[in-house]
Amino acid sequence: MESLERIILEQTLFAGLDPDIAQLVTGCARNLHFEPGAYLFHEGEDAKEFYLIRHGEVVLEITAPGRRTLVLSTIKDGEVVGASWLIPPYRWNSDARARGHVRALGFNAECLRRKCDEDARVGYEMTKRFMPMMVNRLQAAYLQLLDVYGRPEGS
Amino acid sequence: MDPYVPLPYRVLATRKDTPDVVTLDLAPVGDSIPEPQPGQFTMLYVFGVGEAPISVSGAPVDGNPLVQTVRAVGAVSNAITRLRPGQEIGVRGPYGTAWPVESATGHDILFVAGGLGLAPLRPAIRHVLSNRDRYGRVSLLYGTRGPEDMLYRDELAEWRRMLDVEIEVTVDHADRTWRGTVGVVTKLIPRADFDPERTTAMVCGPEVMMRFSVLALQVAGLPFERTFLSLERAMKCGLGLCGRCQFGAHFVCQEGAVISYDRIAHIFTVREI
Amino acid sequence: MTTIRALPPGSAVLRLDGLQQLIAALAVRGYEIVGPVERDGAILYDRIASTADLPAGRTDRQEPGSYRLEPRADGALFAYAVGPHSWKRYLHRPNETLFKSRRVGEELVFDPPAGPPPRTAFLGVRPCELVAIFVQDRVLMEGHYVNTGYKARREATFLVVVNCGSPAATCFCTSMHTGPRATGGFDIALTELLADGRQEFLAEPGTDGGAALLAYLPTRPATEADWQAALAVTAQAVASIGRRMPPGNEIKAALQSNPEHARWDDVARRCLACANCTLVCPTCFCTTVEDRSDLDGQGAARVRRWDSCFTRDFSYVHGGAVRTQTRSRFRQWMTHKLAHWWDQFGTSGCVGCGRCIAWCPAGIDITVEAAAFTEGQNHGIT
């Protein structure tokens, strides 16, 4: 348990977390390994657990009938897979697939949400650490949407 | 000599990088322009059509031709991309400022390129790689729309084989056949290995891409005065005489295209400036 | 620039026939002479052969959006301010061929422009216009690159200034420190003396060439009384100028720190983006370059022509214009002229001639617009 807590505190996402909060977070975490091609989750499933990549690469994909599978984003070491666990209805809105061997920390979403509800300090710490990530992803999505490298209009 | 009069250059070879981007190898018919510094541009003149400012992608040194990469977006650039080997065009320049490859000596170097923005950075990248021992860690972060829009693929592969250079390529849009990174180029910045205390960043791409990049670099702790961008504005002369390329108080053709971000931060996001 | 000075050495007094002989002497020395003429209801600058071509007994009445010529009782030759022309049309030409190119097989041949320009004398340059010429000198021939056509013409120019005794209501040279009396940079400066029914010209030499020419003309040496009369002409002009531009450093700071000021929206509702202001402005220098092909397809000419930051194409980068709105274009024009110019060229881009005020169809007054930024800074927050 102690070594898992140490691993968690080594992650950028949790850097400088108070020891008592780190302990609470660790209580919701486990070590995981995914084989190449394995799915971490599928679109539409309950977001029961989210993942912090320790090593490897995960792709987020969306597939629709009659269209090629589109890769939305690739996620690497130190980054989080999935934000749907934070907001109702707690369902994944894409597929997440391991591209090679992936080592990750899994966090039980229900466990962590409960601890956030019980202790506002925990809730605030999680919000503070997830909010920049969410905003950065939103900005990245803007940039993707803008298609900045596309042909300029009128040319 | 009138600075508006070009020198005749012959097209030696053309390469189609993407469906609408062509790279030309050029050689002087008689006199040649002075040696361009990395980041400078020339005015290319197509007979009967007109002139366009085009950044230099390869300097004519060590027996190499003058290399210029052009995207067909207007009348002149369309005409340039249709040139065949043996045809002649007019070249004048080089104009504008250079990437700070000298003042960055001893620094970690972070190249951030978006789309066609790799073309103006190529001479700086080549300079840094061929003087590798004079710099710290070197990273090239390159984002394009899709895998098929990537420039200089062979050369990228060559750079990737070098062990002491980090080359990260990402695309905005891809299907599963693309084995590389997907996501915007700014996402690569926090992942890159550099010491913000001693790093020089050179950023080139569409203006929106550069706006997001400077934000990400700011978050990474890079000071504005060591963040360099290459600006694009309308240009008719390259000489500071036609008045068109003004960006705030700057003439982009004289004080740019390469400029440190601290000099323009106050107006960079002002609309229609 | 009305500092009290002593009678300049070498000053002389010419009568009307002396002025005629000045024109003749310049012609003999190979100069084409350009001066004010009355045409199409305005004072324009064109070739003149004698004093008879000058607009005798005419004055101009100018207001925002308005310019009218009116008769005067006397036969004064220079009793008006400035019209829609400025000397830039003779130095920074509206159209100029930069080079010609020919296709010979696959080869391209570039032919540089034609030989040296004719020597030209400007007669009747106003002090504000003289400063405008200096401003364009700075922009077009004193930077890293030189507009060679401009420089060649400029160096072949003989400047005869006429100090200003009849400023228009649109004038504000006093607050720009550009007039109504020229203090240097001319070959000869004249002051037209009209008091008490006389019509004489006090002539000050500004260069050796000017002094040599004056020595050749039928003149009498100027007296202290003549000098006092000349000073009185411009002193009266100073007193009659009511318009005022706020101080340069104040406008510069106010404009550069307020790109989103509400006044830009306000002026954009009035501005027609017609580009008149930039065309009549004696310092506006922006240009475009066009290719003009011969019909047989074997020859082409690169032609530079005046352009304006008020056109949509001016800021065109592939795909579209940077400045799509009138607001952005007016902001560019005025901020460049009154603020960025200082950073770029160490001077204001405005000389206070008032042309942009008179020739604006909407009557937009640059002094009023500038004051809106320097006064009430706090109202600008949108």
Side-chain angles (χ1 to χ4, degrees):
Chain A
M1 202 62 188
E2 200 177 4
S3 74
L4 186 58
E5 187 175 326
R6 188 178 48 77
I7 292 168
I8 287 173
L9 282 169
E10 278 170 4
Q11 304 300 316
T12 315
L13 181 71
F14 293 122
L17 200 62
D18 280 353
D20 59 324
I21 298 178
Q23 205 179 350
L24 285 173
V25 171
T26 306
C28 299
R30 59 172 178 155
N31 254 314
L32 291 168
H33 173 261
F34 295 95
E35 295 291 329
Y39 282 87
L40 284 69
F41 52 75
H42 288 94
E43 184 178 350
E45 289 176 353
D46 286 340
K48 292 179 191 159
E49 189 172 32
F50 76 90
Y51 307 93
L52 178 55
I53 309 298
R54 291 179 60 199
H55 186 75
E57 189 177 21
V58 171
V59 293
L60 298 183
E61 297 174 338
I62 285 195
T63 308
R67 296 196 59 171
R68 292 173 305 165
T69 296
L70 293 177
V71 179
L72 297 172
S73 179
T74 48
I75 296 166
K76 290 186 178 168
D77 303 16
E79 296 173 346
V80 170
V81 183
S84 300
W85 68 277
L86 270 166
I87 48 161
Y90 311 119
R91 280 182 200 282
W92 299 120
N93 49 27
S94 68
D95 299 341
R97 184 173 55 88
R99 231 182 204 172
H101 286 280
V102 170
R103 278 192 292 134
L105 292 165
F107 294 87
N108 183 303
E110 204 185 325
C111 166
L112 201 53
R113 286 200 299 262
R114 194 180 59 244
K115 288 179 179 172
C116 288
D117 288 342
E118 284 169 4
D119 185 345
R121 281 173 63 238
V122 180
Y124 181 60
E125 278 295 342
M126 291 304 115
T127 308
K128 244 186 2 186
R129 286 154 196 276
F130 275 86
M131 188 79 84
M133 186 188 85
M134 307 286 285
V135 172
N136 284 338
R137 287 190 185 175
L138 189 62
Q139 285 176 347
Y142 285 165
L143 202 50
Q144 260 172 318
L145 191 68
L146 285 168
D147 192 20
V148 289
Y149 311 124
R151 288 188 67 78
E153 285 165 34
S155 68
Chain B
M1 192 59 188
D2 193 293
Y4 272 98
V5 181
L7 292 168
Y9 269 63
R10 187 170 294 124
V11 178
L12 299 179
T14 65
R15 287 178 295 282
K16 215 173 173 73
D17 293 280
T18 78
D20 62 355
V21 177
V22 168
T23 295
L24 305 174
D25 290 349
L26 303 168
V29 174
D31 291 340
S32 52
I33 61 168
E35 184 189 328
Q37 300 304 302
Q40 287 195 296
F41 65 94
T42 64
M43 297 296 285
L44 294 187
Y45 168 73
V46 182
F47 176 79
V49 183
E51 267 185 329
I54 306 289
S55 60
V56 172
S57 293
V61 288
D62 303 330
N64 290 312
L66 173 66
V67 181
Q68 307 221 243
T69 297
V70 184
R71 186 183 200 181
V73 284
V76 179
S77 54
N78 257 296
I80 295 173
T81 57
R82 286 196 304 267
L83 289 167
R84 301 180 315 274
Q87 287 188 299
E88 289 186 11
I89 61 171
V91 179
R92 60 188 179 89
Y95 301 124
T97 49
W99 294 111
V101 289
E102 298 304 328
S103 66
T105 303
H107 285 192
D108 290 351
I109 306 292
L110 185 61
F111 295 109
V112 186
L116 208 61
L118 186 61
L121 277 173
R122 181 176 178 263
I125 296 167
R126 286 167 63 99
H127 178 95
V128 167
L129 296 185
S130 55
N131 297 277
R132 186 63 192 85
D133 54 336
R134 287 165 51 188
Y135 301 95
R137 283 164 284 192
V138 175
S139 311
L140 165 62
L141 315 178
Y142 180 33
T144 65
R145 188 172 193 236
E148 65 284 359
D149 300 306
M150 216 157 282
L151 300 181
Y152 315 137
R153 260 172 259 216
D154 296 345
E155 201 163 22
L156 276 170
E158 203 178 296
W159 294 341
R160 271 177 192 276
R161 282 194 293 273
M162 302 176 73
L163 295 176
D164 52 357
V165 181
E166 183 191 2
I167 308 282
E168 294 294 338
V169 173
T170 184
V171 299
D172 280 7
H173 306 280
D175 62 20
R176 285 177 78 167
T177 60
W178 168 246
R179 307 285 304 160
T181 304
V182 179
V184 295
V185 68
T186 51
K187 216 173 80 166
L188 301 178
I189 291 172
R191 293 177 185 169
D193 183 23
F194 61 90
D195 174 4
E197 295 298 317
R198 32 162 299 202
T199 294
T200 295
M202 306 180 208
V203 184
C204 189
E207 200 161 300
V208 175
M209 167 264 173
M210 293 198 290
R211 285 189 212 152
F212 281 86
S213 297
V214 293
L215 280 178
L217 289 168
Q218 193 181 0
V219 171
L222 210 70
F224 287 178
E225 61 270 20
R226 275 189 277 114
T227 302
F228 290 81
L229 314 178
S230 182
L231 298 173
E232 185 176 18
R233 278 295 179 272
M235 252 175 227
K236 285 287 173 181
C237 72
L239 308 168
L241 298 174
C242 77
R244 297 173 81 103
C245 67
Q246 290 181 74
F247 182 72
H250 305 291
F251 285 101
V252 171
C253 73
Q254 303 294 296
E255 293 155 85
V258 176
I259 195 163
S260 61
Y261 185 58
D262 58 312
R263 298 181 61 195
I264 54 163
H266 62 296
I267 51 169
F268 193 47
T269 55
V270 174
R271 233 189 228 215
E272 301 204 350
I273 196 79
Chain C
M1 296 195 204
T2 51
T3 45
I4 302 300
R5 295 179 298 139
L7 173 64
S11 294
V13 174
L14 291 75
R15 289 211 295 264
L16 197 53
D17 61 330
L19 187 65
Q20 174 59 43
Q21 297 221 23
L22 172 65
I23 294 171
L26 284 166
V28 164
R29 283 161 175 74
Y31 285 98
E32 289 181 0
I33 298 133
V34 179
V37 297
E38 181 182 347
R39 189 182 305 146
D40 304 330
I43 306 293
L44 307 182
Y45 296 145
D46 206 345
R47 293 282 299 274
I48 57 165
S50 80
T51 52
D53 295 329
L54 298 171
R58 280 286 183 272
T59 192
D60 53 14
R61 179 175 292 277
Q62 303 192 46
E63 293 293 342
S66 157
Y67 174 99
R68 295 282 179 276
L69 282 186
E70 290 181 354
R72 264 175 77 103
D74 61 16
L77 295 179
F78 299 98
Y80 39 81
V82 290
H85 279 183
S86 72
W87 303 98
K88 84 172 174 183
R89 66 184 291 112
Y90 292 95
L91 292 170
H92 183 40
R93 309 279 306 186
N95 279 284
E96 183 168 13
T97 299
L98 298 167
F99 62 85
K100 290 187 175 171
S101 54
R102 286 178 286 128
R103 188 150 60 181
V104 185
E106 294 280 28
E107 276 182 43
L108 269 190
V109 180
F110 299 107
D111 301 317
R119 306 209 302 167
T120 306
F122 296 165
L123 173 65
V125 178
R126 296 303 184 185
C128 61
E129 299 186 290
L130 184 67
V131 175
I133 291 171
F134 300 154
V135 168
Q136 286 216 325
D137 288 352
R138 181 90 175 77
V139 175
L140 298 174
M141 57 183 243
E142 290 168 11
H144 186 69
Y145 293 102
V146 168
N147 177 330
T148 50
Y150 178 92
K151 186 164 190 266
R153 285 184 293 274
R154 180 69 178 88
E155 286 170 351
T157 303
F158 190 93
L159 295 171
V160 182
V161 161
V162 177
N163 289 316
C164 191
S166 307
T170 43
C171 290
F172 54 100
C173 67
T174 44
S175 54
M176 301 310 298
H177 313 292
T178 58
R181 171 166 290 280
T183 52
F186 48 77
D187 290 294
I188 295 173
L190 305 175
T191 308
E192 188 173 22
L193 306 173
L194 295 161
D196 309 321
R198 75 203 273 211
Q199 184 171 28
E200 289 182 321
F201 300 89
L202 184 131
E204 303 164 47
T207 58
D208 291 345
L213 194 66
L214 279 183
Y216 170 84
L217 302 178
T219 60
R220 66 171 171 81
T223 65
E224 183 60 27
D226 295 322
W227 177 238
Q228 290 307 321
L231 290 179
V233 168
T234 43
Q236 190 206 341
V238 169
S240 72
I241 288 173
R243 262 194 172 63
R244 186 184 158 274
M245 182 67 92
N249 55 348
E250 283 179 29
I251 311 170
K252 181 178 185 296
L255 292 181
Q256 288 182 332
S257 57
N258 280 299
E260 306 294 359
H261 198 291
R263 188 73 183 192
W264 298 124
D265 299 299
D266 181 86
V267 73
R269 282 192 285 272
R270 291 171 279 138
C271 173
L272 308 175
C274 71
N276 265 14
C277 52
T278 58
L279 296 175
V280 296
C281 177
T283 67
C284 273
F285 61 87
C286 291
T287 50
T288 187
V289 185
E290 298 168 338
D291 235 53
R292 295 183 187 166
S293 300
D294 294 349
L295 285 176
D296 66 2
Q298 297 307 302
R302 289 289 285 164
V303 178
R304 178 177 55 210
R305 64 169 175 80
W306 287 357
D307 200 358
S308 170
C309 53
F310 280 94
T311 67
R312 189 184 175 89
D313 270 358
F314 185 82
S315 62
Y316 186 89
V317 284
H318 59 250
V322 173
R323 299 181 200 106
T324 62
Q325 305 169 44
T326 299
R327 174 187 186 276
S328 330
R329 295 182 214 161
F330 194 94
R331 179 178 69 188
Q332 169 61 24
W333 176 69
M334 191 161 115
T335 309
H336 181 219
K337 183 121 327 226
L338 300 179
H340 297 333
W341 215 293
W342 286 100
D343 294 322
Q344 295 167 351
F345 306 111
T347 172
S348 174
C350 175
V351 297
C353 72
R355 285 181 177 90
C356 60
I357 302 172
W359 294 95
C360 175
I364 294 169
D365 182 339
I366 192 170
T367 64
V368 173
E369 299 309 318
F373 284 83
T374 53
E375 294 161 10
Q377 284 269 318
N378 298 330
H379 305 306
I381 294 150
T382 52

